[in-house]
Amino acid sequence: METEKPDFWRDNENAAKTSQKISELKEEIESIEKIKKEIDDLAELNILGKDDEKMVESLEKKYQEIESKLAKEEIKIFLSGKYDRNNAIVEIFSGAGGQDSQDWAAMLLRMYERYCGKKGFNATVLQQSFGDAGGPEGRIGIKSVTIEVKGNYAYGYLKKESGVHRLVRISPFNAQKLRHTSFALVEVLPEIGGKDVELEIKPDDLRIDTFRAGGPGGQYVNKTESAIRITHISSGIVVSSQSERLQGKNKENAMKVLRAKLYKLKEEGREKELKKIKGDSVSASWGNQIRSYVLHPYKLVKDLRTQYETSDAEAVLDGNLEKFIEAELKINF
């Protein structure tokens, strides 16, 4: 066993990752064993209480609870990708359309934060660029935002959310109350460990700048230059982090985003090579509209890949994405 090797704890980072993986596997095994015991107990009680109406009602309720637990474990079958267990980096970019699209990006941020809360994930904003001020009720949208989502299978659950999200509603920014269509782009990347052998980041290929973090409309500007901007010179990728007070922590967060973006760049290169070999067409990400959210003249949220839809748009925007995500995971499995 790897943990019993004499030099196991010499590499603290690798030891921590291995220990975490062991802990997660133990938790999954214990969860399955607990469900199995509940099924066995239910079978015995069913024999004993089949003629008792109250007992039958109680057993039916217990059956539904077990069925729900099994469904949660079953979905993990579809989370077998290389980085599905990893934390996730989620980026949201407002499209053309000014304040309406910026407000839509802010609504999506809230939706994903609520979803993460329901799943037990921890979502932290690493960087955000605020939109134009002056909206109704003091609403200020977002031009772009980057959040780190920590949790077991965070990337696996969220990865299919990448794409263009379309909103149709009566614009709260239009005095004539006209219907408006807004777009926002969501990108989900896996958080890649610093010692991932597939990614080599040379220190001399990085330009690191510091700046003062600020809030919406230039408010709450920090007195110290704790925010970090990193430019990967050879690829031109620029990332930043401003959520932490310590410069070192912001640098660490920015490097997480950079590794995720370089991984994506590498995967896109592989896809281009496959396209040359197979001749398959690959649509541009911005044109790849994945889901439509209609709030007027009727209410409907529809995923254009799976065709799953619901009229309860408010619940979806409040983070109830489970049915959409399950359908997304299963469709191409």
Side-chain angles (χ1 to χ4, degrees), residues 253-289:
N253 287 339
M255 287 300 296
K256 288 178 183 177
V257 181
L258 178 60
R259 280 192 290 269
K261 284 182 173 288
L262 287 173
Y263 164 75
K264 181 190 176 188
L265 193 64
K266 189 171 185 177
E267 288 300 299
E268 286 176 347
R270 288 175 180 170
E271 287 178 6
K272 286 179 181 178
E273 289 301 314
L274 284 173
K275 181 184 175 183
K276 289 178 184 177
I277 297 169
K278 296 168 66 178
D280 292 337
S281 59
V282 180
S283 60
S285 59
W286 184 253
N288 184 23
Q289 185 178 310

Side-chain angles (χ1 to χ4, degrees), residues 73-86:
E73 292 299 322
E74 180 190 30
I75 199 66
K76 292 179 182 177
I77 296 171
F78 305 96
L79 299 170
S80 56
K82 183 175 182 180
Y83 295 114
D84 280 0
R85 283 180 174 269
N86 289 26

Side-chain angles (χ1 to χ4, degrees), residues 43 56 69 85 139 149 198-199 203 238 272 285 311 330:
V56 170
K69 289 179 182 179
R85 283 180 174 269
R139 286 159 73 164
V149 180
E198 293 186 8
L199 291 173
V238 180
K272 286 179 181 178
S285 59
S311 60
K330 293 176 181 178

Side-chain angles (χ1 to χ4, degrees), residues 201-208:
I201 303 176
K202 298 178 181 178
D204 57 0
D205 199 20
L206 302 177
R207 185 175 73 243
I208 301 175

Side-chain angles (χ1 to χ4, degrees), residues 92 108-116 161 165 186 321:
I92 304 170
L108 285 174
L109 170 62
R110 177 183 177 276
M111 182 182 78
Y112 287 119
E113 287 179 327
R114 292 290 179 91
Y115 169 75
C116 290
E161 290 297 292
H165 295 245
V186 175
L321 293 170

